[in-house]
Each structure stands twice: as structure tokens, then as C-alpha cells.
Amino acid sequence: VARTPIGWFAWFVLRYKAMLAMFRGELEAAGRFMKEAVAVGESTEHPHIRPTFLLQRFALRRLRGADAARDAELLAAANVAAWQPLLIHARTVAGQTEQARIELAEIARDDFRAIPENTLFPLWMGHLVHACALLADEERAAVLLPLLEPYADRIWGVGAGAVLMGHGGRYVGLLHATLGNAAAATRHYE
């Protein structure tokens, strides 16, 4: 199947199965599908194989309650600017709050305008919302809220079958909760 359209489609189906397994809470199956997907995908030499695997692996590790400090270390070592929101979130979960605050302030420069609204936008924003909430950063939450309210009624995910993040209302509700607006948060959670 290497270097054929069949290999790419096999990778696509396996990554989709991994995402669905994570969504259903079948974490062992998700891990198996991810490993199969990367093995098949790497033979196709498609540029999205490795980043998709790493995103799914990060999501799976979060679901499994893996060591957030280790995740932060790995993300920092990768030194990929596009993964900065994931790193900030991992740092907050790991208790590295001072470094997370510094990096959040840096990425929030110019009211988050540097973050392009492309296919990774929901992923980045979801991780930044969680970081704001964990850090109780009302200033950044207030900036993110109007940016994300237009997406509150959508299902957030990355790519077709890479990572499913859930309903956008959950993230908007979390911002309202961070800002102390319990009534608005509840409306988005319902």
C-alpha cells in the first residue's frame, strides 16, 4: 500500500477510527489505531502523518491523565511554534503556572490576532481557553470570548478524523465561568 492512494486512504480510515475510539472512551483501541495509522501513513510519505499522530497522541495522553510535565517537556523540545497553545495548556496542568503565564501573555499579544483562523484554529483556541481557566486569567478570557462566540454552536475538531474536541459551547461556557458569569456559562453548558 506504500506510496499509493490506497495507503493514504488506509491511514485516513485508521486515524478516523482512533479519533472515534477516543470519543467513545475506548482508549486502548484508540492507541492501537493510532499506532497502525502512523505505520501505514509513514510509508506514504505524506507531510501530515507525523503531526496528526502527535496531536492524537497528545489528546490520548490527556484523556489517560498522563504526566503533563512530561508533555510540556516534549512539546518544548519539539520547538514548533504552532504547538505553543498545547504547550501552554500542558504547563498549566503540570503546575508550571509562572512559565505558562509568560507564554500566554506572549501569544496573546495583539489580542491573539497572530493566530490564523485555519483548520488548527479550534485546537489552538481550545487549549488556550483551558489555560485561561486554569490560570484564572480573566483578562485573556475577556479577549478570547468575542473571538470564539461565533463558533459556540459548532463541533470543534481538527481535520477530518484527526482530533474531535467537542462542542464549541463548552469552551465559550468555560470562558464565561472564568469571567464569573455563571448564568452565561450555564446556558452554554446546557
Side-chain angles (χ1 to χ4, degrees), residues 59-79:
L60 183 60
R61 287 179 55 78
R62 296 279 43 83
L63 289 170
R64 287 180 171 161
D67 180 12
R70 178 73 178 132
D71 286 343
E73 180 183 308
L74 292 171
L75 287 165
N79 196 25

Side-chain angles (χ1 to χ4, degrees), residues 86-142:
L86 283 76
L87 175 59
I88 294 167
H89 184 196
R91 287 195 195 284
T92 60
V93 172
Q96 300 170 3
T97 56
E98 190 57 39
Q99 186 63 33
R101 285 183 195 285
I102 291 167
E103 292 171 2
L104 182 60
E106 185 177 306
I107 203 169
R109 218 178 22 230
D110 298 326
D111 296 337
F112 298 98
R113 285 190 195 100
I115 298 176
E117 289 190 46
N118 60 22
T119 58
L120 292 173
F121 184 76
L123 175 77
W124 293 328
M125 289 297 157
H127 286 286
L128 292 173
V129 166
H130 280 283
C132 282
L134 290 167
L135 295 169
D137 190 329
E138 293 181 23
E139 180 183 347
R140 303 308 184 296

Side-chain angles (χ1 to χ4, degrees), residues 15-16 19 24 33-34 38 41 48 56 61 67 69-70 76 78 84-85 99 102 131 134 153-154 168 178-179 182 189:
R15 80 178 197 179
Y16 196 80
M19 183 211 45
R24 290 189 301 255
F33 288 132
M34 286 168 48
V38 78
H48 295 152
Q56 283 191 330
R61 287 179 55 78
D67 180 12
R70 178 73 178 132
Q84 192 68 19
Q99 186 63 33
I102 291 167
L134 290 167
D153 62 345
R154 299 180 186 177
T178 303
L179 293 168
Y189 289 143

Side-chain angles (χ1 to χ4, degrees), residues 8 37 43 46 49-50 68-69 75 77 80-82 87 105 110 132 143 145 156 160 165 183:
W8 185 88
S43 68
H46 192 282
I49 305 302
R50 182 57 54 178
L75 287 165
V80 177
L87 175 59
D110 298 326
C132 282
V143 173
L145 187 60
W156 288 16
M165 299 175 61

Side-chain angles (χ1 to χ4, degrees), residues 41-58:
E42 284 186 337
S43 68
T44 69
E45 298 180 8
H46 192 282
H48 295 152
I49 305 302
R50 182 57 54 178
T52 299
F53 171 71
L54 294 173
L55 286 174
Q56 283 191 330
R57 188 175 77 178
F58 182 79

